[in-house]
Amino acid sequence: MPQRLKTPIPVRYAALGLALCGLLLALARLALWDGGWLAALTLMACALLAALGLRDLRQPRHAILRNYPVIGHLRFLLEYIRPEIRQYFFESDSEATPFSRAQRSLVYQRAKGEPDNRPFGTQLDVGRQGYEWVNHSMVPTRLPTHDFRVWIGGSPGQPSVSAQPCTQPYHASVFNISAMSFGSLSANAILALNQGAKMGGFAHDTGEGSISTHHRVHGGDLIWEIGSGYFGCRNDDGSFSEERFVANAADPQVKLIELKMSQGAKPGHGGILPGPKVTAEIAAARGVPVGQDCISPASHSAFSTPVEMMRFIARLRTLSGGKPTGFKLCIGHPWEWFAIVKAMLETGITPDFIVVDGAEGGTGAAPLEFSDHVGAPLQEGLLLVHNTLVGVNLRSRVSIGAAGKVTSAFDIVRLMALGADWCNAGRGFMMALGCIQAQTCHTGRCPTGVTTQDPLRQQALVVPDKAERVRNFHRSTLHALQELVQAAGLNHPSEVNAHHIVRRLTDTEVRLLSNLILQVEPGALLGPIEAQSKVFRLYWPIASAHSFQASRPAVSASGPPLHAGGLPGTAPATRA
């Protein structure tokens, strides 16, 4: 122990001692002379500091404050402002998570309509492992528009062939707003996002909090997400309500119906919105009582097997009047996903679309272990979904969306190269609204008014201005996408594939992405699978259309039973 801590009045009490001395001097000055306002202020300040120090000595919770009264509070202050100090003064533009300053700056510039060109070359280390680029063509194309679109649910000239088919296909932008509920986001944020979607001609996912009055004001296209709580279409006991579903689904503003199986932020985890946060507006949107806990179960009650899930999707499609209906998931146990695919084959019912959410996604707060260690990252999940559908000859009937840290045109190109038809972004559009990544979303104290229900805080978010920024971000990102597609010599982002992306492995070796990822031949899973990747050899045989449970433990050819893992690894690679 340092010698100074053994003295009768240790130095660690110096701040408290100075406060007491200052208090005595100020009292003496006031008593003996007319000290004026300065002495009065000194007296008040020293009295407060002395009282704080005495309280610190007596409180039982913080050992630091008991040993370092008054001055110990500096430690908590510095810890409180550390993220901001680090973010603004010490981090480089390319580091920090979840999004680097370079990524955020790109969104801000595009949202504000400012030039996003960069002088003096790239700031990225092109020699580092993992660096990727798009191969360009010596005969680039020239495209008339950046308004790239894809049909979901068939097309006017080629209707869906699923049982209970889609009769109202949707012509979607390749870049849309990901699922974020009213309640997680403020009313003004929802208003601005939907107005921006209306102005830019792209879709706005409601999140599982259902359709609020704020979603309806500007009339932007909606993807209605239905979670396990069936908000907006539930009976009083929390079960699914056909009558309430039809009332919302019939709205012309609703273009897609999305059944949420799991989300990237916290797959396999339910949720609860505490009663005090369930305002009248939130209660009206979700169909729950005001002031009571609003619970999202971890699983659905309307079905319990993959076959029942497919029949429920067909039922939703019929009740909605034939609107495109699909589901969103973050990949977990491979056999559960395979069971869903086998249910498609057995019933003839296919979803019109599947949105694959990566574990790196998530606009809302989640338990740390779920954010960090549960669910497959987007690349692995997207590859497994795409390859499985190819392997059973259903890929042409099911569109695939991808969501997870999309902020730039290269992010979109890369995901399309892996099999996506379109991309969704949540946090990118939050930053377009002005989010500064303060990471206080769950506290209600969002500094920009994006993720708070505090009416005073959300007044800072001016809807017309932020709606314009949302449209600008979407338009500028698609303009950049147009330039990438042209540089590659292509006519549409859908033509991008893994042959167009190159990845650095070492200082001296690079490979085409097509030589590093799993690729399944059409129809390959409908016959013998001995020649397929290990994930299919292990888990496809044990998946059943009638249960989400594996029919038996998977057994590796080299050892004991395997109960988890086995997402697509890398295929045998050759040099680019």
Side-chain angles (χ1 to χ4, degrees), residues 6-87:
K6 299 178 181 179
T7 59
I9 304 179
V11 176
R12 55 199 168 100
Y13 294 136
L16 175 58
L18 289 173
L20 292 172
C21 289
L23 176 61
L24 294 174
L25 290 173
L27 285 171
R29 181 166 182 174
L30 285 174
L32 300 176
W33 302 283
D34 182 12
W37 63 268
L38 182 60
L41 286 178
T42 303
L43 175 65
M44 291 177 60
C46 291
L48 289 173
L49 289 174
L52 178 65
L54 294 173
R55 175 185 175 277
D56 291 342
L57 288 173
R58 295 177 61 84
Q59 59 80 35
R61 296 183 58 193
H62 300 290
I64 286 179
L65 296 182
R66 288 173 66 89
N67 272 333
Y68 299 88
V70 181
I71 199 171
H73 287 277
L74 283 177
R75 182 260 183 192
F76 297 99
L77 174 63
L78 293 173
E79 183 182 58
Y80 182 76
I81 64 174
R82 177 183 179 276
E84 288 76 14
I85 296 297
R86 179 177 173 82
Q87 174 179 330

Side-chain angles (χ1 to χ4, degrees), residues 340-360:
I340 293 173
V341 176
K342 287 188 173 182
M344 297 180 200
L345 294 173
E346 180 169 320
T347 62
I349 300 169
T350 49
D352 297 300
F353 66 91
I354 297 171
V355 174
V356 183
D357 210 8
E360 63 269 46

Side-chain angles (χ1 to χ4, degrees), residues 84 103 121 155 182 196 306 361:
E84 288 76 14
Q103 290 172 306
S155 66
F182 169 58

Side-chain angles (χ1 to χ4, degrees), residues 167-184:
T167 58
Q168 299 186 53
Y170 178 58
H171 208 204
S173 170
V174 298
F175 189 40
N176 301 288
I177 301 173
S178 195
M180 295 181 287
S181 301
F182 169 58
S184 295

